Structures are given as structure tokens and as C-alpha cells.
Amino acid sequence: MTVLLFGASLLGFLAIGTPIAYALIISGIALMWQMGLFDGQIIAQNMINAANSFPMLAIPLFILAGEVMNAGGLSKRIIKLAQTLVGHRKGGLGYVVIFAGVLLSSLSGSALADAASLTALLLPMMISAGYRQGTSAGLVASASIIGPIIPPSIGFIVFGVATNLSISKLFLAGIVPGIIIALALCIAWSIVAYRDDLEVSARASWSERGKALVDGFWALMLPVIILVGLRFGIMTPTEAAAVAAVYSVFVSCVVYRELSLSHLSDLAFNAAKTSAAVMFLVAAAAIPAWMISIADIPDQIISLIEPVMDHPKLLVAVVVLLILLIGTAMDLTPTILLLAPILVPVVTNAGVDPIYFGVIFMITGAVGLITPPVGTVLNVVCSVGKLDFTALTRGVTPFLIAELLVLALIVMIPEIVQVPATWLSGK
Amino acid sequence: QEYRSHTIKFAATGQEGTPPVQGMHIFAKKLEDQSDGKIKVRVFSNGKLGGDVQVLSSLKGGVVEMMVWNAGNMISEVQDFGILDLPFIYQDPEVMDQLLDGDVGEKLTDQLPEHNVVGLAFWEQGFRLLTNDKREVKSLKDISGLKVRVQQNPLLVDMWEALGANATPMPVTELYTALETGAVDGQETTAPFIWGSKYYEVQKYVTVTRHNYNPQIVLIGKPFWDQLNADERDLLVKVARETAKEQRDISRKAQLEALDKIRDAGNVVTQISDEQRQAMLDAESPVINKYVETFDSDLVEEVFDAVGYQLN
Amino acid sequence: MTMLNVGLKSMRYFMILCLACMVLLVFANVLLRYLFDSSIYIAEGGASLLFVWMTFVGAALVVYERGLIAVDVVVSKLPSIPRSLCEILINIAMLGVSVMIFRGSWHQTILNLNVISSSTLLSSALLYASGVFFSIISGGIMIVRLIKSVSKSFERKSALHEGDVNHYDQARSSK
Ligand code: NA
Ligand code: NA
């Protein structure tokens, strides 16, 4: 009943054209009313506290860095470099996106931050290079959900803490599936780009490549600074985002001299407004998430999957469908917090390796970030990339299918996860 | 006795299996039994209803009914609660039980209703320990220069700086990664939390410093409290205090068990000598002197008499 | 310069200021840690508080500019009258949300007036006041829009031809 009411009110208000953030708040209010907890404080508290988050602060800072890089000539030089290196291939920038997604995900633990920075940094390049907007943004969205799968991963930490599993084992187990997803995206992209018949540039000479590399040196240092800073524990992701912002301002204004201070205030305003729209959605989603915690919806669902307890692979498949279903409407962290503590004992009882299950859970939950109606990564890509939700949903579909195929493969052949995970943990 | 039907949402940020959450489950069962099934308690651990500060505010607004958290944190409402966070002076949990179940506890909780919450009982989380992966900490000088993540609280930051550490406030959600990458060298919490949050995976050395003792305060929101009749209120207080006895036993056993598990997992567990603990306490005296002035002087006298600490 | 322009301009500068302070606070904290082994106590809490205010002031502005993401596949296919009915319904619902956020954040602001946040050393009421600000601005916007769309539909009604009515009825019966 509660699930129906939540789904119906959310979908109903979305259908008549209500902004997604408001539809989320309204569906939360519908739940409040049904459960006899009608109180504005629940709305105000959950929204404001969701935004009052230091880790989330990485979003506006990375958006700012991206805006400054674009206007200040850094992105231009990276485009140039990428074009000289892989531009002669069909759909070269697409592979750059996937590669950057893997790199970023080894820097940050959150798909949202990855989505924000990938969109801000690479989407404008793709569009200016003539790629279709929806498909490009779809690739960006599907590449950014590698974020919580390749370590570090806030998702795995939450999962490990909530289920008392070794976080380092989860981290190590995530590396290979993350790379497999990237490869699957490459294949999907090659098919999409093949159909697209986009004009390719002539192969660049080595001296042109050398010149582009020298020219792009300052721009290329930025990911190096972030990578080294995070890998060696010099900075937290939020701090790395602030350093990225300051560095990109420095290079744009002082080194390349392509940006004036007055222009900078325009960029800051844009970045602030864009991240406000993103965070308003995050804040809005916190209300139904809180109500769903109270309503014990996960418990009701668990009782439904008892019959398949004797067949581990079937059980995992059923659970994956369940997480996918919930993931269509919920964010990754609440999905983990609500379902993981209940599901892990269930699947462990049935003989499934909990670390392997953790990886499956994370991939499934991450896929939920790019499924409508509520796909937080889709929302971020829409707001940051300033494009239409429907176009993005269409554009993401081929890559979503590729990721679901990887998921199905891993469900059928657990060794894909388990063998390298055991090997990487050294025993 | 007249008990009416109520459902209480009881929230905490600790994980399942940690002593405060174990106490919540005991409380839930006892209350349901003793109210003939009328008063039900739903336990929300792991921050499912929000962070501590958010939930405290929910209690005051009547959105959530009960919570349990570090009593010292109530300094945000009532300055006197800060006395419970003073470093190194609390070493005997039984003395603390007497103080908190008696006059001192009453003096503190009596100040709460005007802040829209009511204190029912004191439970415990236990003694906080220092962990790091730089060096074995055996004495005061070993702490010097360590980058230690501490809770965001001026008193606790001052306390760590007095020991020579670089106190680094940081959200607990980022702590594991920060320890793993080396952004901070160490952190400080109780043994069950070191185990539950798996910090032992990314730390090498655990020192049984016992620098803070963390009593937990069981709070109920005043808007909900005002709806209860006298029988219901008496029952809640009675059950919360009954639970305190069991919960403290569980917690004290859990401290030792968690420490054994951490040792078995490969960490070096170091006990420090009484002399070294005294040296650390001496290093804290400027901090203690500074904060004692902000607390009620009768309260300070009573507490210090009981634990045998002399201001200098 | 009209009142509206002054308001929009000040919101703009406020957001730029918030973002600039956030960058500087976080960046300075990194520098201080490595150069002087110290840190700014309120850097994280202060930056987060600025972030909350930037979010809700920005959200009010985005509501004003109709910049929130919506799914308009269904509505864009509707004829104009049911579409404007949908718009009125949305405006009413959004106004209701504003009212609820106002009541909730006002209540919380009052409750937290004397609570000192350990991370900012300021009153926690400052946090919840951001919701009060957002709800007043967004509620005001909704009231203005409602008045406009109702008066517009009265105009339309008086100018309505027979054919339009039939068209409207057909559209309804075919649903
Ligand atoms: Na990652
Ligand atoms: Na989704």
C-alpha cells in the first residue's frame, strides 16, 4: 500500500510536468499523510540536513573547476590533445570519456561527484566536436557510475559498515568488475558511434602530438595533482575539488591569461546556480528516503523472496531485480542502508559469498542511479549539462543495456568477481 | 496502571551490535513487556533517521521520540554537560555510575526540559582509545606530531592539541578512507567502534589511553513526553534505568572482547602505565582549568571530589 | 532599478560570495595543514553552512527562472486548456510545499535559536533559516504565478469560441 502510494504520487505528479524535485517532496508528503506523520519539520529537516554535508561540497567546487577550465582554455587544450591521440578513430572522445570515468572513479568515491565533473569537463567538448547530445550525455552518465564500483567508494564503505564485512576486501573485489564495465561501455560506444557515422579527423603527426602535449601540460597537471593528492592521502575529495578550482583559476588567469576577473564572477554564479539545482534534488530525495526508512518497506519485500532460498544463483538474480526495482526510485546510499543489512544475512544463509554479493549489490545500486524515474546521476548530468531528462534517458539506454549484460554475466559466473578478488587480497 | 498505545521511534547513529544499540533493543523489549504490549519501540540504528544533531532537533520538534548519544555532546544545549568530556580524570566506571545515577546526573538532566528534551537515564559507550599507523604510542611524547582525527568539538580539539597531536576534525564518513590513504595518522574511539567500523584494517597500533569516558544519555523529546500520563512516564524512566544496569554490563564486556578481536586481527595493543597516564593528565591541566570555569562550580566540586582530581 | 532587479542582483552576489568563501576556506585549510601544521577550526562547518545557504538561495532563483528539471513528455502533448489546468495544479502543489517548508523550518529555527553548533560555533538556527528564506521566496513566486494564470484563464474564457469548447471536450473524452 505504502509502495503503491509512493509510486503513484511520484509518477502522477511527474506526468503532469511537476519539477522532479517537487514531485519527490510531494510523494514524501503523501507518505507522511498516509502514515499519520504530517509535519513540515520532516521536510525542512531532511532537506536542509541533506545539503549540510561537507563531502557533497565537492560538487560545486568541481563544477566551478569545470566552468573555469572550459572558459580558461584548459579543456580546449585537452580536447586538442585527445583529438591528436585518438581523434582519428571513430568516436574517439567517447573512449576519452570512458577512460576519464575510470580515472575519476579511482579518485573519488561518489558517482554524483564523478557525474558532475565528467559532465562539466567533457560533455561540452563532445557537443562542440559534433557528437549527439543525448547519446554523449548517456555515455557520461553510464561512465560515471563506475565511481562507486572502483575503489575508493563511499558506497562500499557504507555497505561494509552496515553489514560488518571487510571494506578492503570489497574495495579489491570492485576493481576488476569496474574495468569490465568500462570495456563493455567501449564496445557499446563503438556500436553506437559506428551507427552515428561521425566525421573523423585526419591522423595527427607525432610532432603535432608533441606540441599538443606541451601546450596541454598545465591542464594535464590537474588530474595528476588530484590523483597524487588523493592516492597519497594529502587531501580529501572535497579538498581536492577546492585545489582543482584554485588551480584552474590560477592557470586560466595567470598562465594562459584567457580569463578576466569579471568573467570569473559570471562563471562562479553559473557554478553556484547549477550546483544549487543539483543539491535541491538531493535535498528533495531525502524526504521520501526518510519516510521509506520509517515505513519498513524493505522488510515487507524480503518476505516475498523466501521461496527461492534453495537456489543461490536464482536468489541473487531475484535480489538483483529487487534492488533494480528499488533503485529506480531511490538513491544509492539509502538503498544500501535499507537493504544491505537485511539482504546480506539472507544470501549468506543460502551459501552466497558476501563479498561477491557486495560487488553485485554495488553494481546494481549504481545502475539504479541511471534509471528513471529517479536517477540521481541522470539528474546531475541534466542539471550540469543543461539538457532534457527525456533525451538523456533515451541516450543512456544502449549503455544501460551493456551494464545490465555485465551484471547478468557476473550473476551467472561468480568466478569473474571471486577469482581476481581472492588473488588481489593476496590469499 | 494505565498504559495507552504508543509507538516510539528510538534512533542512534551507532551500528547494530555496538553497546548503545544493544541497549536500545533491550529497552524496547522490556518496555513492551512491562506495558503489556501497549508501548512499542522501533529501533533505528546506523543513522537511518539522520545524524545525531538532526535527530536531537527532531526530538525537540516531536518528529522522533527518543535517541541515545554521547552525553558530553549535550554541551551544545547545556554547557555543564561538557564536564563529562574532560580528559583522563574519569577512570573508574563504577564511580561514574554512582555520579550519573545520583545527584550529578540529576543536576545535569534537570536543565534539559527547558531545551525541549528530557533525560531518562545514562548508559555507556565506554573508554576511548587512540589508534594510529605511525608508531606504537607508549607515552605522552609518542603522541607528539601525530595527525589524529577528533570529534568536531572545541574542548576535544583543545584536549588533543594539549597532548601535542595535530587535531584534525573530519566527518566520520570520510574517516576510514582518510586513515587508509594516510590523510590522518590516527583516530580515537571506543574498542567496539574500532571493531565495528573496521578501523583496525587500516591501523597498526591501538593504545589503551582511556582518555575519555563516554556515558550515553537516553533522551526523549519534550513534545512526546508532554503527551504521556504519569504512569507511562514512570514506566519509561524505570525501564530506561533498569536497562542501564544490563547495558553497562554488556558494554564493559564488549570493550574487552572487541580489544581481543582487534589484537587477533593483527593490531599491536599497548597498555600504558599509570605514570604515563598521569603525565598526560598533567599535560591537560591548562585545558581542564580553562573549561572548568564555564561549568557550575558546585557540580565541578562534587565531580572532582568523587573522582579524586585536584585543580592546580 | 526595480525592487525585483535589486533582489535578483543581491541573490546573485550572495551566491558568488558563498562559493568564493567555500573555495577559500577549504583551500586555505589544505595549505595551513601542510605549511603550518594547523587548521581553521570552522573551515568545514562554515563551508557547509555557506553551501546550505548557497543551495537554497540558488534553488529559489532556479524556481524563479523555471530552471528545475521536469518531465514534460505527457504535458506537452495536451491541448492548451488542460495544460494550463495542470500548471495551476502544479503551482498550488508547489505553494503547499512552500507553506510546509516554511512552517517546518520556522519551527526548527525557533527551537535551535540557543543551540550552538559545534562545527560552526554559531547558532544552529542559522542553518534552518535557509529554509525560511527559500519558502518565503518560492511561496511568493507561486502566489504571483497563480494570480497571473487565473486572470489569464478568465481572459481566455471570455474570448472562448464554440470550436475551442468542442475541441476541449473531444480531447477530454478521448482520454
Ligand atoms: Na571510486
Ligand atoms: Na533510478
Side-chain angles (χ1 to χ4, degrees):
Chain A
M1 177 59 209
T2 316
V3 186
L4 279 182
L5 181 75
F6 172 67
S9 53
L10 181 62
L11 291 177
F13 272 93
L14 281 178
I16 63 167
T18 316
I20 297 175
Y22 274 89
L24 280 166
I25 301 174
I26 292 164
S27 67
I29 295 175
L31 291 179
M32 279 164 41
W33 168 76
Q34 193 240 345
M35 288 156 67
L37 290 168
F38 200 75
D39 191 334
Q41 291 180 93
I42 295 177
I43 303 177
Q45 276 208 313
N46 282 299
M47 290 186 78
I48 291 167
N49 283 292
N52 186 21
S53 147
F54 188 70
M56 286 287 191
L57 208 74
I59 293 182
L61 302 185
F62 270 125
I63 294 176
L64 176 64
E67 295 256 358
V68 173
M69 286 178 83
N70 283 333
L74 280 82
S75 308
K76 199 169 66 186
R77 288 167 172 87
I78 288 182
I79 294 183
K80 181 76 183 157
L81 180 65
Q83 278 172 340
T84 59
L85 291 180
V86 285
H88 60 281
R89 294 208 185 139
K90 214 163 199 175
L93 266 179
Y95 302 111
V96 175
V97 166
I98 298 167
F99 188 54
V102 171
L103 276 184
L104 265 182
S105 89
S106 67
L107 307 180
S108 99
S110 129
L112 288 190
D114 287 3
S117 38
L118 272 181
T119 311
L121 297 178
L122 286 170
L123 189 60
M125 294 188 203
M126 296 186 80
I127 289 163
S128 68
Y131 290 79
R132 278 185 298 174
Q133 195 190 36
T135 311
S136 308
L139 180 69
V140 165
S142 52
S144 48
I145 67 158
I146 299 173
I149 299 164
I150 288 183
S153 157
I154 293 169
F156 272 139
I157 296 172
V158 174
F159 189 93
V161 170
T163 59
N164 263 336
L165 287 171
S166 161
I167 296 162
S168 41
K169 280 184 188 162
L170 288 165
F171 272 15
L172 292 171
I175 296 175
V176 170
I179 292 169
I180 293 175
I181 289 176
L183 293 175
L185 288 179
C186 284
I187 295 170
W189 175 253
S190 70
I191 296 168
V192 171
Y194 177 76
R195 271 188 32 217
D196 234 20
D197 197 27
L198 204 70
E199 212 176 293
V200 295
S201 44
R203 183 188 284 267
S205 73
W206 283 106
S207 72
E208 280 176 296
R209 286 179 184 178
K211 190 177 169 299
L213 194 66
V214 172
D215 204 26
F217 171 79
W218 288 96
L220 281 177
M221 279 308 289
L222 182 60
V224 174
I225 292 171
I226 297 174
L227 182 78
V228 171
L230 288 178
R231 174 61 192 83
F232 295 99
I234 302 166
M235 306 177 276
T236 63
T238 306
E239 290 170 343
V243 171
V246 171
Y247 179 83
S248 54
V249 169
F250 171 77
V251 173
S252 308
C253 294
V254 180
V255 181
Y256 293 151
R257 293 172 184 270
E258 292 189 16
L259 201 62
S260 67
L261 275 177
S262 65
H263 192 182
L264 196 59
S265 80
D266 288 343
L267 296 175
F269 176 61
N270 282 343
K273 209 166 63 175
T274 307
S275 76
V278 173
M279 285 310 297
F280 189 61
L281 263 169
V282 171
I287 302 161
W290 197 87
M291 296 310 301
I292 283 170
S293 296
I294 301 263
D296 254 349
I297 289 175
D299 269 348
Q300 300 168 17
I301 297 168
I302 290 309
S303 58
L304 298 175
I305 57 176
E306 290 284 15
V308 288
M309 282 294 280
D310 293 336
H311 312 277
K313 279 182 193 176
L314 186 60
L315 174 68
V316 171
V318 171
V319 167
V320 162
L321 289 177
L322 168 76
I323 303 168
L324 270 179
L325 184 72
I326 299 214
T328 57
M330 276 236 293
D331 205 359
L332 182 57
T333 307
T335 308
I336 296 170
L337 281 175
L338 292 178
L339 291 186
I342 309 160
L343 288 179
V344 167
V346 173
V347 297
T348 313
N349 265 346
V352 178
D353 172 27
I355 299 290
Y356 157 73
F357 179 70
V359 174
I360 291 274
F361 193 112
M362 199 56 53
I363 298 173
T364 317
V367 164
L369 295 172
I370 54 167
T371 58
V374 186
T376 325
V377 164
L378 295 181
N379 296 333
V380 170
V381 173
C382 278
S383 313
V384 179
K386 299 189 181 63
L387 78 158
D388 175 46
F389 192 80
T390 331
L392 176 58
T393 308
R394 250 199 310 271
V396 86
T397 308
F399 311 112
L400 183 63
I401 292 170
E403 284 170 342
L404 289 175
L405 287 176
V406 172
L407 193 55
L409 191 72
I410 294 175
V411 171
M412 282 186 294
I413 314 170
E415 288 74 17
I416 297 173
V417 175
Q418 284 165 345
V419 171
T422 322
W423 183 68
L424 281 168
S425 12
K427 284 189 188 89
Chain B
Q1 262 85 6
E2 193 211 340
Y3 302 131
R4 297 163 302 165
S5 293
H6 297 284
T7 302
I8 292 173
K9 295 188 286 297
F10 194 178
T13 45
Q15 305 126 29
E16 286 294 330
T18 53
V21 178
Q22 285 175 300
M24 292 161 77
H25 287 292
I26 297 170
F27 175 84
K29 177 148 196 325
K30 277 180 182 287
L31 188 63
E32 192 165 339
D33 288 349
Q34 296 186 25
S35 65
D36 307 319
K38 290 279 178 56
I39 307 181
K40 293 196 164 51
V41 178
R42 296 185 57 204
V43 173
F44 293 92
S45 55
N46 237 330
K48 276 180 197 154
L49 300 189
D52 284 323
V53 177
Q54 177 184 344
V55 171
L56 179 63
S57 204
S58 300
L59 250 59
K60 297 182 187 181
V63 170
V64 174
E65 288 76 26
M66 285 181 70
M67 74 182 284
V68 55
W69 75 332
N70 280 354
N73 290 347
M74 291 304 287
I75 194 173
S76 63
E77 315 285 320
V78 175
Q79 188 66 22
D80 284 347
F81 272 89
I83 199 170
L84 300 172
D85 273 341
L86 289 180
F88 292 105
I89 66 170
Y90 307 116
Q91 293 298 326
D92 185 348
E94 274 160 30
V95 171
M96 296 306 288
D97 294 351
Q98 279 169 15
L99 285 179
L100 293 169
D101 294 347
D103 194 39
V104 167
E106 210 169 295
K107 270 189 178 141
L108 291 171
T109 45
D110 280 353
Q111 301 179 65
L112 290 177
E114 61 178 300
H115 296 269
N116 286 304
V117 283
V118 174
L120 294 183
F122 288 93
W123 298 354
E124 75 149 43
Q125 194 194 311
F127 286 101
R128 298 181 84 89
L129 319 177
L130 173 66
T131 75
N132 85 97
D133 64 351
K134 271 270 148 67
R135 53 180 169 261
E136 187 179 358
V137 171
K138 291 182 196 154
S139 64
L140 176 60
K141 68 174 177 10
D142 295 329
I143 299 176
S144 178
L146 278 183
K147 244 184 273 166
V148 181
R149 182 268 171 181
V150 302
Q151 294 160 283
Q152 186 87 340
N153 174 325
L155 193 162
L156 298 171
V157 171
D158 286 349
M159 142 190 184
W160 281 99
E161 286 182 342
L163 295 175
N166 287 332
T168 313
M170 163 181 297
V172 75
T173 47
E174 280 185 64
L175 180 53
Y176 182 94
T177 319
L179 292 170
E180 189 179 38
T181 58
V184 291
D185 302 323
Q187 62 85 41
E188 50 84 47
T189 188
T190 60
F193 274 74
I194 297 172
W195 179 256
S197 305
K198 303 183 184 301
Y199 297 144
Y200 64 89
E201 290 180 351
V202 286
Q203 299 277 270
K204 285 197 205 86
Y205 306 103
V206 180
T207 303
V208 185
T209 44
R210 296 158 66 98
H211 51 270
N212 285 123
Y213 172 73
N214 279 160
Q216 303 285 291
I217 187 162
V218 181
L219 295 169
I220 189 162
K222 188 121 186 319
F224 179 67
W225 184 251
D226 289 342
Q227 292 169 24
L228 299 174
N229 65 32
D231 289 341
E232 292 162 348
R233 289 181 186 180
D234 290 346
L235 181 68
L236 275 163
V237 173
K238 174 172 162 267
V239 172
R241 296 202 174 155
E242 265 178 40
T243 307
K245 291 194 181 63
E246 280 180 49
Q247 194 273 344
R248 286 166 177 165
D249 286 345
I250 289 174
S251 170
R252 281 157 206 176
K253 236 177 263 160
Q255 312 290 322
L256 300 173
E257 285 169 7
L259 208 53
D260 284 341
K261 286 193 274 190
I262 293 163
R263 193 184 287 115
D264 291 345
N267 280 31
V268 177
V269 175
T270 309
Q271 303 284 342
I272 57 167
S273 64
D274 287 347
E275 291 77 42
Q276 275 308 321
R277 194 171 281 117
Q278 185 62 44
M280 292 176 189
L281 174 56
D282 291 344
E284 296 291 3
S285 69
V287 176
I288 295 175
N289 288 340
K290 173 181 164 191
Y291 282 93
V292 148
E293 295 198 347
T294 66
F295 307 139
D296 177 69
S297 55
D298 291 345
L299 185 75
V300 171
E301 203 183 313
E302 195 173 346
V303 170
F304 283 9
D305 276 353
V307 299
Y309 178 76
Q310 279 191 320
L311 275 174
N312 44 354
Chain C
M1 217 188 231
T2 64
M3 275 288 285
L4 180 66
N5 277 334
V6 174
L8 292 175
K9 267 262 154 62
S10 3
M11 281 162 86
R12 177 192 165 98
Y13 287 120
F14 178 80
M15 286 163 69
I16 294 172
L17 195 68
C18 282
L19 185 56
C21 291
M22 282 153 59
V23 174
L24 291 178
L25 270 175
V26 180
F27 185 73
N29 218 22
V30 182
L31 279 190
L32 281 176
R33 191 164 67 231
Y34 287 98
L35 298 182
F36 305 103
D37 262 349
S38 68
S39 60
I40 309 168
Y41 179 82
I42 53 125
E44 295 195 354
S48 300
L49 180 62
L50 290 168
F51 183 36
V52 171
W53 271 93
M54 191 188 84
T55 295
F56 286 99
V57 171
L61 201 61
V62 174
V63 167
Y64 172 75
E65 293 175 353
R66 296 178 190 265
L68 289 174
I69 315 158
V71 186
D72 55 1
V73 264
V74 183
V75 188
S76 58
K77 291 185 182 111
L78 290 178
S80 78
I81 290 176
R83 195 161 54 189
S84 52
L85 282 178
C86 280
E87 204 168 299
I88 291 175
L89 179 62
I90 292 170
N91 280 341
I92 291 173
M94 286 170 77
L95 179 61
V97 168
S98 293
V99 171
M100 288 198 75
I101 296 179
F102 176 79
R103 295 180 51 149
S105 49
W106 179 255
H107 197 160
Q108 285 291 321
T109 305
I110 300 301
L111 284 173
N112 283 286
L113 271 179
N114 298 317
V115 178
I116 299 302
S117 156
S118 66
S119 57
T120 58
L121 306 182
L122 298 168
S123 164
S124 293
L126 274 174
L127 182 67
Y128 291 104
S130 63
V132 175
F133 175 87
F134 171 78
S135 57
I136 291 175
I137 302 290
S138 62
I141 294 168
M142 291 311 137
I143 291 172
V144 172
R145 275 186 198 162
L146 273 173
I147 293 170
K148 274 188 184 163
S149 55
V150 167
S151 63
K152 206 193 289 171
S153 64
F154 270 117
E155 282 166 29
R156 200 182 293 147
K157 207 173 191 176
S158 57
L160 207 62
H161 296 298
E162 276 299 288
D164 286 336
V165 174
N166 286 340
H167 178 74
Y168 174 50
D169 287 344
Q170 271 165 16
R172 277 184 71 173
S173 57
S174 71
K175 278 233 88 178

